[in-house]
Every structure is written in C-alpha cells, then in structure tokens.
Amino acid sequence: MGALVTSIRQASAEPRLTVDLSAVAANTRRFVELTRGEVMAVVKADGFGHGLGDAARTAVAAGATWIGVTSLAEGVAVRESGVDVPVLSWLNPVDVDVRTAARYGIDLSVPSPHHLAVIEQAGPVRVHLQLDTGMARDGASPDSWLALMSAARKAELAGKITVVGVMGHLPCADTPGANGPGRRALIQGVEMARQAGLRPKLRHLAATSAALTDPSTHLDMIRIGAGLVGIDPSGTTRLRSALRLTAPVVQVRRVDAGTGVGYGHRHVTERATTLALLPVGYADGLPRAASGRAEVFLGGRRRPVVGVISMDQVVVDVEDDPVLPGDEAVVFGPGDDGEPTVGDWARWAGTIPHEIVTGIGARVRRFVR
Ligand SMILES: Cc1ncc(COP(=O)(O)O)c(C=O)c1O
C-alpha cells in the first residue's frame, strides 16, 4: 500500500509533453557554427510542435538572425512573442494582407507574376522572389521567371516593393549528391534578377539536410526547421531532441494466456501476463499505424504496446513487472535512458519524425523547461 501511494504521488496525473528548449538552443548553435551565412529559424506549424514563440525566441537567442514561417498569422504571432529579427512568410494566398505584413515588418515571398501584381497594389512591402528550383510545388515555374523579374524591377522602381532575397527549395536534399540541378537553377534565377536590375542581398536555398551535408548550397542563408528540433532527415548528424512525452499508468490487470486485447482482439496474450493501461492514444498524436510495433519505457525497460492503439488509450504488456497505477511511462524522449525516440515512433508508423512532433494532440498538457 505504501509503495502504491508513493508511486502515485511521484507520477504526473496526466499525459504531458515536456519541451527542453536547451536542446533547441544547442541545435541552433550547431547550425550557426556550420555556415558563414545567416541562419533562418523555421518555426512554422507551432515551431514544429515545440511552441512557435518559445522556439523563435530560443533560436534567436542562440544566434539565428531570421525567422521563417508559412503564413502571415504565424508571422504576426512571432512578432507578438517579442522577436524583432526579420521574418519571412512564404506560403501566402494571392490576397495576403500586405498592409498587415508591412505593419508587422514581415517579408512576403512572391511565387508568381500574378501574386506580384496583387501584392504591389498594396505595397510598399519587402519581398523574396520564390523560384521553383525543381519541386513543382511552391515557387514560380522557370518559364515565368523572366516576367517575374522584370515586373519586380518595375514595382521596385515604383517604390511598391523591395526585393530582399531570391529563394528556392531543394527536392532531394536527403539524397547525397542530388542538389546540383536545384543549386544551378537558383544561381541562374539570381543572375536573371541581376540582369533585370534587381540587387537581392540574400540568396537562400538549403534547409536542414542540405545545410548538414552540402556546404555548396548554403549561399547567404540556410533555413532550418527540422534540425532545430533535433530531426536530421539526412541521417548524418546526431542532433538533440527536445520532446519528452510521458503518461501515467491508470490501471493494471492480470490476465490469462489467450486473452484478446483491445478492439478486434488484434493481440491475444501468449501466456499469463500483466497489462498496464496508459491514457494516451491517437488523438494525442500516437499514430494508430504504429499498432503492433510500438513500445514505451515503463518499469525501467522498454515494453510493447499490445493491441490496436485507441483514440485515448494504449495497453502495455509488462509481463511480471510490479507496475502500479501512477507509475510513469515514457512514450518517447531523447533516447538517453533507452526510452523510444520520436524517430522510433516514426519508423513504427511508416512515417517521418516531422509528422510525430507536429501531431501531438491539443489536449496534451505542455511544460517548457
Ligand atoms: C521552403 C522551406 N524552407 C525551409 C524549410 C525547413 O526545412 P527543414 O525542416 O528540412 O529544415 C521548409 C520545410 O518544409 C520549407 O518548406
């Protein structure tokens, strides 16, 4: 009884996500040291799930000199969090609120002559010409670059825009040696801009993978998102992970061999065992696709999650360990003590770590340290 009370007192009463901002700071410093150019901290999607304002302030304090986001709303949130370095928003609708951007000092990317025509009406505003350098995703397609450059020059002469930068994005930067075409395309685009009379100060192309593996892509600035939060998509560098997700055991039961567990009895126990219930499920960001493979750290070792991951709960097989209600399970963490990592969960679910860190459910309480 004494042991039970003690363990309940020691454990948190609910799932909690702890964000270790010192890891974000350490990762930022690593990128600052890596390049001769500037470092833009990309804090879209709530700072990759780490808190937009916290991530932005931490990165700037650690040496990042720009902030990157995908929407004006995120840019305004960055400003309101007290960050005063330049901010760029690069996925704006054609009718983006240019006056708000200018008022908050947020640069806008311009991905087509059409966007430029609308944006310049409401200028003056600072812009980055966004070129499609091989993804057929965002940015101006190469056949429109000439028109974009000459229209940008006219708008600049009219005092409607200032062209601060020219940017691209690399499609295959996780693959060694694959950046040549994208890099050449950006250089060609910059040359076209100069011939049109533009003098952009910043050429930027590389995100985390290219920044870590291919210095020839660094140019004047690298844009780092995943790397700041400890994700290295190139698989070459050990960065520090900042997230730790824990959940208390809410119930423990002893079951016989042959017991079906959870929806559809997708798991049936092979022997008599102890099952521990955690109040965390796919609504909290544990991908259901990881069912049958996932593990958590409980009672000093990794234990399998058994049965299908439910919306709010998972069942863990702890065999004969003396696990009690109130004991804390580590769902994922940096991995230093043997606990699963975000990367493990991504692998179990057949996805990438980015999807795990940005998918933590809104009801999980967050603690920052
Ligand atoms: C245009 C652009 N730049 C930079 C980034 C940051 O990439 P990463 O998270 O690999 O650093 C992204 C993210 O998708 C992006 O779309």
Side-chain angles (χ1 to χ4, degrees):
M1 187 64 192
L4 176 63
V5 171
T6 306
S7 65
I8 288 173
R9 283 214 185 109
Q10 284 173 349
S12 64
E14 61 203 345
R16 52 165 72 196
L17 184 75
T18 308
V19 184
D20 174 10
L21 293 177
S22 73
V24 175
N27 295 329
T28 305
R29 282 194 292 273
R30 190 136 182 196
F31 285 95
V32 169
E33 283 158 18
L34 194 76
T35 184
R36 282 203 293 264
E38 305 206 38
V39 174
M40 172 186 281
V42 178
V43 299
K44 61 191 175 122
D46 195 28
F48 284 59
H50 290 59
L52 175 139
D54 286 330
R57 280 190 305 269
T58 303
V60 169
T65 49
W66 278 75
I67 295 291
V69 290
T70 49
S71 71
L72 187 56
E74 288 176 330
V76 169
V78 168
R79 281 280 174 258
E80 288 180 343
S81 78
V83 166
D84 59 6
V85 301
V87 174
L88 169 65
S89 168
W90 68 69
L91 196 60
N92 312 299
V94 73
D95 61 348
V96 60
D97 182 351
V98 175
R99 292 207 172 93
T100 297
R103 189 163 76 248
Y104 280 87
I106 296 165
D107 295 8
L108 298 175
S109 79
V110 177
S112 76
H114 178 49
H115 284 76
L116 179 62
V118 179
I119 284 172
E120 70 173 295
Q121 304 283 318
V125 68
R126 289 163 37 114
V127 304
H128 298 232
L129 303 179
Q130 185 181 18
L131 309 183
D132 174 13
T133 51
M135 286 187 84
R137 196 187 68 167
D138 40 356
S141 40
D143 59 3
S144 67
W145 290 0
L146 215 53
L148 179 65
M149 307 299 176
S150 63
R153 177 60 179 153
K154 276 194 201 118
E156 199 171 58
L157 286 171
K160 293 295 190 183
I161 62 167
T162 304
V163 176
V164 175
V166 178
M167 67 185 285
H169 197 42
L170 293 164
C172 304
D174 302 349
T175 308
N179 296 328
R183 185 178 181 281
R184 281 193 291 280
L186 189 81
I187 299 295
Q188 189 196 347
V190 171
E191 189 47 39
M192 284 169 77
R194 293 187 66 79
Q195 278 170 13
L198 298 165
R199 294 290 176 267
K201 282 191 315 234
L202 290 171
R203 304 161 300 160
H204 47 113
L205 179 65
T208 297
S209 282
L212 289 172
T213 61
D214 186 355
S216 78
T217 63
H218 288 192
L219 305 177
D220 305 312
M221 179 159 73
I222 56 177
R223 301 186 306 262
I224 309 300
L228 293 191
V229 299
I231 298 169
D232 168 19
S234 75
T236 60
T237 312
R238 196 171 150 76
L239 299 166
R240 280 177 57 186
S241 175
L243 294 187
R244 183 180 183 84
L245 178 64
T246 59
V249 172
V250 292
Q251 196 180 359
V252 174
R253 78 179 67 234
R254 190 75 194 162
V255 298
D256 294 331
T259 302
V261 181
Y263 287 123
H265 286 178
R266 289 254 302 268
H267 177 79
V268 177
T269 57
E270 280 175 10
R271 47 180 159 58
T273 193
T274 302
L275 301 178
L277 182 68
L278 303 180
V280 60
Y282 59 78
D284 306 297
L286 303 193
R288 190 173 179 278
S291 300
R293 285 181 289 273
E295 298 169 346
V296 299
F297 195 77
L298 178 56
R301 52 189 289 199
R302 284 200 188 197
R303 289 295 189 183
V305 171
V306 291
V308 177
I309 294 173
S310 301
M311 183 183 290
D312 317 291
Q313 45 194 309
V314 294
V315 176
V316 180
D317 188 337
V318 297
E319 297 185 338
D320 299 324
D321 281 1
V323 168
L324 293 168
D327 286 357
E328 184 177 80
V330 182
V331 178
F332 57 70
D336 299 337
D337 300 318
E339 76 275 20
T341 62
V342 163
D344 290 330
W345 276 92
R347 194 164 32 80
W348 293 328
T351 184
I352 55 175
H354 312 51
E355 200 173 326
I356 306 294
V357 296
T358 57
I360 305 298
R363 69 183 173 185
V364 176
R365 286 194 61 194
R366 286 156 188 267
F367 297 82
V368 175
R369 67 185 170 88

